Amino acid sequence: MLIGHQKQLQFLKKSAESNRLAHAYLFSGPEKVGKKAVALEFASQLHCSFPDLILVEPDPESEEIKIDQIRDLIWKLSLKPYSAPLKVVIIDQAHTMNQESQSCFLKTLEEPKKDTLLILITEFPSALLPTIFSRCQQIKFYPVSQKEIESNFSKEIAEISLGRPGWAVDF
C-alpha cells in the first residue's frame, strides 16, 4: 500500500518514460515514511513482476550489511537479467553498510552496468561515504500529510503516526 509520495513516484516514472533514469538513486528521509514502498512500487511498474529484483537488507544478527552480502550482490549483477530489461537492486538501510561494504560497493557505483538500477534507502545519508553519496541522485522523502493517512486509516491512527505511513500500518 502506497500512501503519499506521488511527486517522487511521478518523477521516477517520467525519468523512465523519457529513458533518463539515473543508474543509482538515494532515497533519504525519516524512518517508516514510505521510501521502501515507493522503491518497490517503482520496481513493479518497471517490471510488472519481480524476477529481477534484488533486495539487500542488514543481517539480522549483526544489524549491518556485511561485505559478503555486497560481494554476493556484485556476483548477481554480473549475470544478465532473468526476464526484465534491467535488474533493480534495493539496498534497504544502506547506512548499515560497514566501511568494508561501502568500499566494496563503490566500484559498482563507479562503473555501473547498463542493465542495472540501484536504489539505496536510508534515514542517515551522512553515514554513507561521500563518494557513494555523490554518485547517487538524491530523492528526499518527508512525512505524509495526516489527511492522506486518514484516507486509509482512522483519524486517531493518522494522528499518532506523525506523518509516517509505516507507523500507521504497525499500529
Side-chain angles (χ1 to χ4, degrees):
M1 166 185 349
L2 185 62
I3 301 171
H5 310 301
Q6 292 307 309
K7 207 181 274 188
Q8 290 87 339
L9 196 54
Q10 279 303 110
F11 170 78
L12 292 166
K13 279 185 193 177
K14 284 183 182 177
S15 297
E17 288 167 1
S18 63
N19 206 22
R20 296 181 58 124
L21 281 176
H23 74 283
Y25 291 95
L26 178 63
F27 287 12
S28 65
E31 175 186 31
K32 299 278 191 172
V33 83
K35 301 177 297 291
K36 187 174 178 182
V38 170
L40 291 169
E41 176 67 22
F42 182 58
S44 74
Q45 289 177 4
L46 288 174
H47 290 289
C48 299
S49 62
F50 290 110
D52 291 307
L53 175 72
I54 302 168
L55 181 61
V56 179
E57 296 178 301
D59 177 70
E61 289 180 21
S62 65
E63 296 183 359
E64 67 180 14
I65 297 173
K66 297 180 176 182
I67 192 166
D68 291 342
Q69 291 173 273
I70 298 301
R71 286 183 179 142
D72 184 55
L73 169 65
I74 291 168
W75 176 78
K76 288 176 182 173
L77 291 177
S78 71
L79 306 172
K80 289 195 177 288
Y82 176 71
S83 65
L86 76 155
K87 292 179 190 175
V88 177
V89 175
I90 297 174
I91 301 180
D92 193 18
Q93 299 179 46
H95 58 274
T96 65
M97 280 191 281
N98 60 34
Q99 198 72 21
E100 280 184 310
S101 300
Q102 288 191 49
S103 296
C104 184
F105 181 67
L106 195 53
K107 184 167 171 86
T108 301
L109 275 177
E110 290 172 339
E111 299 171 13
K113 301 222 181 274
K114 65 179 175 126
D115 59 354
T116 302
L117 173 67
L118 304 165
I119 300 174
L120 286 73
I121 300 172
T122 184
E123 293 97 63
F124 306 105
S126 61
L128 296 171
L129 292 172
T131 46
I132 288 179
F133 188 85
S134 68
R135 284 173 172 68
C136 298
Q137 182 169 350
Q138 189 170 13
I139 298 181
K140 294 184 179 185
F141 288 76
Y142 301 97
V144 175
S145 74
Q146 185 174 332
K147 190 177 251 184
E148 286 181 278
I149 296 174
E150 268 182 47
S151 66
N152 292 280
F153 298 95
S154 70
K155 182 176 178 152
E156 293 78 17
I157 298 248
E159 285 177 6
I160 60 174
S161 69
L162 301 174
R164 298 177 185 207
W167 282 356
V169 170
D170 289 349
F171 293 138

